[in-house]
Amino acid sequence: MKLNTRINGRDLCLEIKPNATLLETLRQAGFKSVKFGCGEGMCGACAVLVDGKPRTSCITLAGTVEGSEILTVEGMGNPDQPHALQQAFVDAGATQCGYCNPGSLIAAKALLDSNPNPTAEDVKDALDGNLCRCSGYVKRIEAVLSAADSTASTTGQKKSTRGKK
Amino acid sequence: MLKKLTRFYHPKTIEEACQFLGNGEGRTAVIAGGTSAALRADSSLEALVDISHISELNYINKDAAFYRIGACTRVQDIYKSPDLKGPAGKLLQAAAGKIGSTLLRNAITAGGNLAGLFPWSDLPVAYMALDAEVVCRRGRPKRTVPVMSLIETRAPQFLAANEIIAEIIVPAYGPGTGTAFAKLAKTANDYALISLAVRLTLKDGAVNQARIAVNAITAQPVRCLDAEKLLEGKVLTEELTAEAANKAADSLNIRKDIRAGEEYRREVFVVMVRRALNEAFENANRKGGQQ
Ligand SMILES: Cc1cc2nc3c(=O)[nH]c(=O)nc-3n(C[C@H](O)[C@H](O)[C@H](O)COP(=O)(O)OP(=O)(O)OC[C@H]3O[C@@H](n4cnc5c(N)ncnc54)[C@H](O)[C@@H]3O)c2cc1C
Ligand code: FES
Ligand code: FES
């Protein structure tokens, strides 16, 4: 079966099995940032944006995103040019093993896209589907808030001091 | 999972969707949010009709007396909607906001949460407490039925092969009505042990209509009719809410599973009903109505 989507800004036509999940499909197409955690929609490691909304790709059938736009972390930034959120996660120490990070970053991006000035409560609410077993749930809130600050400032990529000790 | 699946259909209108469902080409089912594990485990299905991109199924509208919610409206949009207000709007938002997580709420739909009924489904109790009605479409022909008949018969049996849930109609209510939603779960994301929706509509200070709808503590959503009857026509007092809460618990066939036993659920349930009744009563008495 053919699947037509736009992934990280590029139109792609992929050959898939009708019962393939979006997670399998993305990983097979090389988007390895998308992680398999629970496979049941419970952990958020597999989160990607589907038409701007963060969803669990492990329980999304690929056939249901025909014609949709997908964004994975590869489309947010890279080590040379990290997205403000990626830099903020590093600066705040909101990463240890890093397995949860792609999913949390995707959920955080969706939040900032719709609400550039979130409160800590907004961040908690937006990341409520992303479990983390290592670095915990405090530093990533700091990270998202400081990324919001830094993107709000005119220089765009200027580092914020807010998340720092 | 879905071992026999060979194709997806992507209709743009309700009529098209019903045609695909009714064309008799092997086992075909509707897919909306696609989160139902039961749907994804079905190895008899050959085709899926994806109705999630049909724009005429995705809206929240309000007229003078009713909210109308398209069946494919994501529950996250219900949770975040600035248009849902008052006793009915707030109850729908409270229930929708307690479903799973952001990542799941962006997929789960208002109609799918009702059609793919599980013990932990949260919106159906809110629909029941609000006396909602459901519009079912078979192409152009439609019928409007009380939500309870769909729940009691269960959607797969209730709906014809080429019929879908298209809209949920919820009376808006106003000042004099108060609602409350409560859910007990082991963690914020875990399946509910108890899901509870209450509505009290007052007249001259006394309870005119009482609705106590529960799920998760039972195998499927039910109303606590004895407790509702006890409350109707009376002025709410502490003794009365306590008696109603006990009666509500007595009327249930309480489920137990690995998460919690029957005794624990019962004990918490009585407290939850009592508090929800008080909260709904307070909301009903609010000046200018529940906001
Ligand atoms: C990890 C996890 C946690 C969850 N937690 C909760 C929770 O706390 N509370 C809660 O309420 N739910 C929860 N859910 C969701 C619930 O279990 C169901 O998956 C969900 O309600 C199904 O809705 P959907 O829109 O995804 O429907 P789908 O999965 O697309 O469909 C479900 C069924 O309904 C049918 N159907 C769908 N839409 C229609 C329609 N318009 N007309 C006719 N038939 C239709 C389908 O054919 C299918 O049989 C959770 C799900 C997961 C995976
Ligand atoms: S792998 Fe998708 S939610 Fe856990
Ligand atoms: S950093 Fe390891 S799971 Fe979050």
Side-chain angles (χ1 to χ4, degrees), chain A residues 94-101 131-135:
Chain A
T95 179
Q96 274 184 38
C97 80
Y99 205 77
C100 67
N101 285 166
L131 302 188
C132 175
R133 306 193 305 175
C134 322
S135 74

Side-chain angles (χ1 to χ4, degrees), chain B residues 153-265:
Chain B
T153 314
R154 300 215 150 220
Q157 284 76 44
F158 189 89
L159 300 172
N162 63 343
E163 190 173 30
I164 63 165
I165 297 173
E167 183 180 81
I168 293 128
I169 306 179
V170 180
Y173 302 97
T177 291
T179 57
F181 179 81
K183 172 167 170 173
L184 176 74
K186 293 217 154 181
T187 68
N189 284 7
D190 199 18
Y191 296 119
L193 301 172
I194 299 172
S195 187
L196 166 71
V198 164
R199 171 173 63 90
L200 294 176
T201 296
L202 310 182
K203 200 174 159 191
D204 306 324
V207 176
N208 184 43
Q209 257 188 356
R211 293 286 180 274
I212 303 173
V214 302
N215 198 16
I217 187 169
T218 44
Q220 65 168 23
V222 292
R223 274 174 50 192
C224 303
L225 297 173
D226 294 346
E228 293 176 1
K229 216 176 280 157
L230 175 75
L231 292 164
E232 286 175 352
K234 302 209 182 76
V235 175
L236 219 64
T237 61
E238 238 172 74
E239 296 75 49
L240 186 66
T241 47
E243 193 187 339
N246 275 312
K247 238 195 172 87
D250 289 342
S251 69
L252 300 179
N253 220 331
I254 297 179
R255 204 166 66 90
K256 54 172 186 261
D257 64 13
I258 51 160
R259 286 179 170 79
E262 188 182 327
E263 280 164 38
Y264 174 75
R265 280 183 212 241

Side-chain angles (χ1 to χ4, degrees), chain B residues 45-205:
Chain B
L45 289 174
E46 291 166 42
L48 286 170
V49 181
D50 182 0
I51 59 171
S52 66
H53 299 286
I54 300 180
S55 53
E56 58 175 330
L57 288 174
N58 186 356
Y59 54 86
I60 299 174
N61 290 335
K62 162 119 204 272
D63 58 28
F66 297 99
Y67 288 109
R68 292 169 198 277
I69 301 177
C72 287
T73 307
R74 311 286 178 174
V75 299
Q76 179 77 350
D77 294 335
I78 296 179
Y79 174 41
K80 297 286 183 188
S81 169
D83 302 325
L84 290 169
K85 296 189 193 95
K90 288 296 141 191
L91 183 64
L92 292 169
Q93 287 191 317
K98 289 285 184 192
I99 294 176
S101 67
T102 302
L103 305 176
L104 292 163
R105 290 192 295 272
N106 277 325
I108 298 168
T109 62
N113 199 234
L114 176 66
L117 202 57
F118 295 98
W120 56 81
S121 303
D122 289 310
L123 269 177
V125 288
Y127 296 153
M128 283 157 68
L130 296 168
D131 286 349
E133 290 188 311
V134 181
V135 178
C136 306
R137 291 270 304 263
R138 242 171 138 156
R140 203 161 293 200
K142 69 172 180 183
R143 52 175 174 159
T144 303
V145 300
V147 72
M148 210 54 219
S149 50
L150 222 152
I151 288 171
E152 274 169 355
T153 314
R154 300 215 150 220
Q157 284 76 44
F158 189 89
L159 300 172
N162 63 343
E163 190 173 30
I164 63 165
I165 297 173
E167 183 180 81
I168 293 128
I169 306 179
V170 180
Y173 302 97
T177 291
T179 57
F181 179 81
K183 172 167 170 173
L184 176 74
K186 293 217 154 181
T187 68
N189 284 7
D190 199 18
Y191 296 119
L193 301 172
I194 299 172
S195 187
L196 166 71
V198 164
R199 171 173 63 90
L200 294 176
T201 296
L202 310 182
K203 200 174 159 191
D204 306 324

Side-chain angles (χ1 to χ4, degrees), chain A residues 1 18-21 39-44 47 51 53-56 58-66 68 107 125-131, chain B residues 1-3 5-8 10 31 33-35 40 48 50 52-53 74 76-77 79-80 97 100-107 189-191 259:
Chain A
M1 188 177 111
N19 67 351
T21 64
E40 294 180 8
M42 296 217 176
C43 75
D51 295 324
K53 300 287 169 69
R55 308 233 318 239
T56 50
C58 66
I59 60 168
T60 302
L61 288 172
T64 64
V65 303
E66 170 71 30
S68 292
D125 185 57
L127 298 190
D128 64 351
N130 300 90
L131 302 188
Chain B
M1 68 181 209
L2 291 170
K3 286 211 177 70
L5 192 69
T6 62
R7 58 203 183 276
F8 280 82
H10 298 282
I31 183 164
T35 64
R40 284 177 291 112
L48 286 170
D50 182 0
S52 66
H53 299 286
R74 311 286 178 174
Q76 179 77 350
D77 294 335
Y79 174 41
K80 297 286 183 188
S101 67
T102 302
L103 305 176
L104 292 163
R105 290 192 295 272
N106 277 325
N189 284 7
D190 199 18
Y191 296 119
R259 286 179 170 79

Side-chain angles (χ1 to χ4, degrees), chain A residues 89-143:
Chain A
F89 267 59
V90 172
D91 292 346
T95 179
Q96 274 184 38
C97 80
Y99 205 77
C100 67
N101 285 166
S104 323
L105 284 164
I106 283 293
K109 179 170 192 310
L111 170 68
L112 295 191
D113 286 349
S114 65
N115 176 4
N117 248 319
T119 63
E121 276 312 307
D122 295 334
V123 179
K124 273 193 207 169
D125 185 57
L127 298 190
D128 64 351
N130 300 90
L131 302 188
C132 175
R133 306 193 305 175
C134 322
S135 74
Y137 298 94
V138 175
K139 290 179 173 163
R140 68 184 198 184
I141 298 174
E142 281 171 19

